[in-house]
Amino acid sequence: MKFQAPKGVSEYYPPRSSAFELVRDELIAAAKVSGFSLIELPVFEDTELFTRGVGASTDVVTKEMYTFEDRGGRSITLRPEGTAGAMRAVIEHGLDKGQLPVKIWYSGQFFRAERPQAGRYRQFYQVGVEAIGLQDPEIDVEVIAAADRGFKNLGLKRYRLEITSLGDAASRSAHRKELDLFLAGLDLDEATRVRAQLNPLRLFDDKRDSIRSQMASAPLLLDFLTESSRSHFHKVQELLTELGIAFTINERMVRGLDYYTGTTFEFVHPDLGSQSGIGGGGRYDGLMGELGGADLSGIGYGIGVDRVLLACEAEGVFGAEKALDSLDLFLVPLGPATKRFGVVMMQGLRASGVKVDMAYGDRSLKGGMKAADRSGARFSLVIGDEESSSGQAQVKNMKTGEVQSIKIDPSDNYLQLSRFIFDSKVR
RNA sequence: GUGGGCGUAGCUCAGCUGGUAGAGCACUCGGUUGUGGUCCGAGAUGUCGCGGGUUCGAGCCCCGUCGCUCACCCCA
């Protein structure tokens, strides 16, 4: 029996894992620099949290949740998204009773039992933020800008931001009335009609030509916004423009989770295959109340790290992958005695923060140098009997090939060598 | 849940109208005394996804099955 990873999971192993790590850390860094604090959450929750929070009619809840019974007979679900769990924690620990807004970020694995496809996995990785307790359009823009900053810092260029407003409850019910009337006159198959009853907005996102052409003349929610919704959305656009964040209005944008209201947005990338969304989010006015907390509004996003990685690779924003987290130094010992010398030396260097590894096994000099090359280390250093006894060695710059004599002295923790390496890093 | 494509060496794949398996990359060693990348030489590696059938003979044909993948529904 040969074991295989479960269907539809993404795994990252060297060398690509360092690219994944970089993407994740950059997205997190953007959240942190925007003033969000970490909230560390469980990957499973009470099933009802999601049926109530995400919405019982959504596809996520009806057919995509990993749900099981734990030993105490409780129904448990692996989290399919982050906001519901974050709100639960905020309410449970009374963060909503402190100073507002509450600004938190999270990251980790999420789970949806779907048929896998390019960029769509059953276990996927997300970095998200939530800002709770403010109605101002400024906070909408701040959240969007935080996501945008992450993408920009990674060097992405070809992504696009799409925004819309789902309005307040009055806007939506006015629109729904018109939309239901319109849909009643369409030629739809049974499954689609059922879907339309649960949430008619979903039909805007259908990719089938027969539906698309019929929906072309459907009444748009944006045309039904109340005065306050309209003005909020307008301010969001103004501020985005002022910040130089390009966007397009997608009046047909649909999100898969029921809790979204008002400002809603999605970042899309053209090079990912069918799943073009790399991140998205929006405002959720009723969610906190629905989950038993104070009736506060919030806004947040979730960014798919797996997809952003694909986007980065499609755009070629990384250089050689092995350079991403490459070693500073690679030691090539000759013979057993110098191997011991090398192990001791590495500990000394690591203590001062030098990233160092060495050739193990009994490799020839050529083999050792080859290993040094493959490791991607910036410098190599051969240690034989001569070096260990004289305390003098040649550091070789692996890129330029130039060598330099340097003192290696255990008693000062190889100070000269580590200095040399750090100095060369600055350049 | 529905539909398409594909399963041959670690990876990417070739294998003509059936005659019992190959390339490139990667890997290891070497090209005479201690310096990698290029070049040259040598070497190791496969239950040709699995099960059954047709045939003197199946990687190739047929049936089934499992897996991967892409797309639809939907979504990060």
Side-chain angles (χ1 to χ4, degrees), chain A residues 303-334:
Chain A
I303 297 176
V305 178
D306 310 272
R307 289 188 183 175
V308 176
L309 173 59
L310 290 173
C312 288
E313 288 170 340
E315 287 200 34
V317 304
F318 307 124
E321 277 177 17
K322 68 177 176 185
L324 287 178
D325 62 347
S326 60
L327 294 165
D328 295 317
L329 179 66
F330 197 89
L331 299 186
V332 179
L334 300 172

Side-chain angles (χ1 to χ4, degrees), chain A residues 155-188:
Chain A
L156 284 174
K157 299 230 152 43
R158 305 191 54 198
Y159 67 93
R160 275 200 345 268
L161 167 63
E162 298 185 345
I163 63 170
T164 191
S165 173
L166 299 179
D168 53 21
S171 315
R172 283 193 301 281
S173 72
H175 171 246
R176 170 119 194 205
K177 225 176 274 172
E178 286 295 313
L179 185 57
D180 281 342
L181 233 70
F182 173 83
L183 292 175
L186 296 188
D187 175 31
L188 301 174

Side-chain angles (χ1 to χ4, degrees), chain A residues 36 57 105 114 146-147 163 167 170 253 258 277 325 342 423 427:
Chain A
F36 292 86
S57 76
W105 70 267
E114 305 172 89
I163 63 170
M253 185 163 76
D258 276 353
D325 62 347
D423 286 351
R427 258 172 257 154

Side-chain angles (χ1 to χ4, degrees), chain A residues 93-360:
Chain A
H93 302 112
L95 300 184
D96 54 335
K97 302 208 168 66
Q99 194 183 323
L100 300 176
V102 178
K103 290 175 73 176
I104 47 180
W105 70 267
Y106 58 84
S107 78
Q109 286 85 351
F110 294 83
F111 307 85
R112 263 123 86 164
E114 305 172 89
R115 271 300 251 285
Q117 158 181 349
R120 184 170 72 189
Y121 308 104
R122 292 185 167 183
Q123 174 182 306
F124 55 99
Y125 205 104
Q126 221 171 268
V127 171
V129 310
E130 311 292 347
I132 302 137
L134 279 188
Q135 301 269 11
D136 318 37
E138 285 78 11
I139 196 80
D140 297 21
V141 173
E142 247 216 86
V143 165
I144 293 171
D148 186 63
R149 183 178 302 284
F151 299 138
K152 280 206 177 101
N153 287 350
L154 279 166
L156 284 174
K157 299 230 152 43
R158 305 191 54 198
Y159 67 93
R160 275 200 345 268
L161 167 63
E162 298 185 345
I163 63 170
T164 191
S165 173
L166 299 179
D168 53 21
S171 315
R172 283 193 301 281
S173 72
H175 171 246
R176 170 119 194 205
K177 225 176 274 172
E178 286 295 313
L179 185 57
D180 281 342
L181 233 70
F182 173 83
L183 292 175
L186 296 188
D187 175 31
L188 301 174
D189 60 274
E190 183 56 27
T192 308
R193 198 161 282 291
V194 169
R195 211 147 57 83
Q197 267 159 23
L198 292 172
N199 185 346
L201 291 178
R202 296 259 156 72
L203 294 203
F204 282 109
D205 206 26
D206 205 302
K207 288 178 187 166
R208 291 171 296 184
D209 284 342
S210 60
I211 310 290
R212 291 180 81 133
S213 56
Q214 292 192 76
M215 289 300 287
S217 54
L220 300 172
L221 178 46
L222 277 185
D223 296 328
F224 290 81
L225 292 189
T226 57
E227 192 44 48
S228 68
S229 286
R230 184 184 307 277
S231 116
H232 182 103
F233 187 44
H234 190 68
K235 285 179 194 149
V236 167
Q237 294 174 52
E238 279 180 341
L239 232 188
L240 282 173
T241 304
E242 191 178 332
L243 295 184
I245 298 174
F247 64 90
T248 57
I249 292 173
N250 179 353
E251 68 278 356
R252 290 160 180 272
M253 185 163 76
V254 178
R255 312 242 63 230
L257 312 178
D258 276 353
Y259 51 65
Y260 286 118
T261 60
T263 307
T264 310
F265 58 94
E266 197 165 286
F267 289 87
V268 296
H269 198 282
D271 303 329
L272 300 188
S274 179
Q275 309 304 321
S276 57
I278 55 176
R283 187 164 275 284
Y284 39 86
D285 281 338
L287 183 58
M288 288 282 288
E290 178 67 30
L291 298 179
D295 194 17
L296 296 176
S297 177
I299 179 165
Y301 64 69
I303 297 176
V305 178
D306 310 272
R307 289 188 183 175
V308 176
L309 173 59
L310 290 173
C312 288
E313 288 170 340
E315 287 200 34
V317 304
F318 307 124
E321 277 177 17
K322 68 177 176 185
L324 287 178
D325 62 347
S326 60
L327 294 165
D328 295 317
L329 179 66
F330 197 89
L331 299 186
V332 179
L334 300 172
T338 48
K339 206 192 300 185
R340 295 190 58 161
F341 184 86
V343 169
V344 173
M345 182 170 162
M346 285 200 298
Q347 293 309 322
L349 288 165
R350 287 168 182 165
S352 27
V354 177
K355 247 159 94 179
V356 53
D357 202 353
M358 69 179 229
Y360 295 94

